């Protein structure tokens, strides 16, 4: 009898582990991936949360071991159509944020783009990222991809690129941290904020409860004010 109880408990434990849902998170921030993972994990009961700091690592793991759900910026979500959109991040009532071309001294003109070396945080990988940026800017570009937001300022400071592509909020932050004469060109580009998508195995209510529980600071780190269920 005792042996049967032990076997049953072990079977139940392994069964629970085998069906545990997984959430992959890739949202470029200045917070270290392991710290962000701890913060998100605290709100997502019975979900195995993995936060990635680099696009390359995220996409590689996504292919080799697909998760139950992903949380990332909308261009990443839209690239991975095996997942169904479930939650959308909002900021100031909008699901998108304006992006700017930031340079030193003089703004970049549209006609100059083909000859401009442009720094970006990689979201999609080498070829997909170039295609995405060229489509957004309606121009061929020479891209310099970096893995982290904090790598952009050194790029432009030391002349490795002519301009960097950042959101409005990131531009404000860069201005506060640099003595450079940074100027922005409004290129009429908007990019979707962080969103979440899932497979059929992941309960939408479970994902909703997880994201809606995020506190103000965590939402701000992810670049949103709140979440909306789709």
């Amino acid at each position: 009898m005792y042996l049967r109880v032990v076997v049953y408990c072990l079977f139940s434990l392994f069964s629970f582990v085998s069906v545990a849902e997984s959430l992959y998170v890739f949202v470029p921030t200045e917070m270290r991936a392991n710290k962000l993972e701890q913060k998100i994990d605290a709100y997502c009961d019975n979900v195995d949360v993995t936060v990635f700091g680099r696009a390359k690592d995220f996409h590689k793991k996504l292919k080799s071991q697909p998760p139950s759900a992903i949380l990332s910026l909308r261009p990443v979500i839209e690239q991975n159509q095996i997942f169904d959109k479930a939650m959308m991040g909002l900021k100031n009532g909008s699901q998108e944020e304006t992006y700017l071309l930031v340079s030193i001294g003089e703004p970049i003109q549209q006609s100059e783009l083909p000859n401009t070396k442009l720094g970006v945080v990689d979201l999609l990988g080498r070829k997909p990222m170039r295609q995405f940026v060229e489509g957004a800017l309606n121009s061929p570009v020479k891209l310099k991809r970096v893995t982290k937001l904090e790598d952009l300022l050194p790029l432009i400071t030391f002349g490795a690129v002519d301009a960097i592509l950042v959101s409005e909020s990131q531009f404000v932050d860069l201005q506060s941290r640099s003595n450079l004469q940074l100027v922005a060109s409004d290129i009429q580009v908007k990019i979707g904020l962080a969103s979440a998508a899932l497979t059929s195995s992941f309960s939408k209510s479970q994902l909703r409860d997880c994201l809606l529980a995020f506190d103000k600071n965590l939402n701000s780190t992810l670049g949103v004010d709140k979440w909306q269920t789709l």
Side-chain angles (χ1 to χ4, degrees):
M1 178 67 177
Y2 175 75
L3 180 60
R4 279 191 293 175
V5 171
V6 172
V7 171
Y8 175 80
C9 291
L10 289 173
F11 176 80
S12 299
L13 175 61
F14 288 133
S15 297
F16 174 78
V17 171
S18 66
V19 299
E21 303 289 9
S22 53
L23 171 65
Y24 289 177
V25 180
F26 173 55
V27 180
T29 73
E30 294 192 356
M31 183 178 291
R32 294 180 65 87
N34 60 344
K35 185 175 181 180
L36 181 59
E37 183 173 298
Q38 292 173 359
K39 287 183 174 292
I40 294 176
D41 186 64
Y43 293 102
C44 298
D45 294 335
N46 301 324
V47 178
D48 182 14
V49 178
T50 305
V51 174
F52 296 85
R54 302 194 309 170
K56 180 179 179 180
D57 297 334
F58 171 78
H59 292 291
K60 182 179 180 180
K61 188 73 170 181
L62 198 64
K63 291 180 180 179
S64 65
Q65 192 174 340
S68 309
I70 58 175
L71 171 60
S72 191
L73 297 183
R74 198 189 308 160
V76 179
I77 300 290
E78 293 175 346
Q79 186 190 49
N80 295 280
Q81 297 183 0
I82 63 171
F83 298 90
D84 297 323
K85 298 176 185 176
M87 300 286 291
M88 178 174 61
L90 299 175
K91 185 174 183 178
N92 299 322
S94 175
Q95 57 185 280
E96 299 175 317
E97 186 169 13
T98 298
Y99 274 65
L100 307 167
L101 276 183
V102 176
S103 52
I104 299 176
E106 297 291 334
I108 300 294
Q109 304 299 321
Q110 180 74 25
S111 60
E112 299 174 307
L113 284 176
N115 297 315
T116 297
K117 293 180 182 178
L118 182 60
V120 297
V121 175
D122 187 23
L123 300 175
L124 307 170
R126 183 178 62 84
K127 186 176 180 180
M129 193 65 193
R130 178 175 57 80
Q131 292 173 336
F132 173 75
V133 173
E134 288 184 341
L137 297 178
N138 194 29
S139 172
V141 293
K142 300 174 183 178
L143 278 193
K144 173 69 174 178
R145 295 174 297 122
V146 298
T147 59
K148 303 186 294 291
L149 287 169
E150 57 262 38
D151 293 335
L152 287 177
L153 190 56
L155 275 186
I156 196 170
T157 300
F158 297 107
V161 297
D162 303 307
I164 54 178
L165 181 64
V166 296
S167 67
E168 281 186 326
S169 58
Q170 291 165 355
F171 174 53
V172 172
D173 182 60
L174 288 173
Q175 283 183 309
S176 69
R177 292 189 293 148
S178 173
N179 293 323
L180 296 173
Q181 186 185 347
L182 297 175
V183 294
S185 305
D186 186 354
I187 48 178
Q188 303 298 312
V189 169
K190 292 183 179 294
I191 295 178
L193 299 168
S195 302
L198 45 73
T199 61
S200 57
S201 68
F202 200 112
S203 165
K204 181 181 284 191
S205 62
Q206 186 180 14
L207 183 63
R208 182 193 64 224
D209 292 346
C210 170
L211 270 63
L212 291 181
F214 289 176
D215 62 29
K216 182 178 180 181
N217 289 334
L218 179 52
N219 279 335
S220 178
T221 298
L222 295 170
V224 303
D225 295 331
K226 60 181 180 180
W227 299 92
Q228 181 179 70
T229 305
L230 297 177

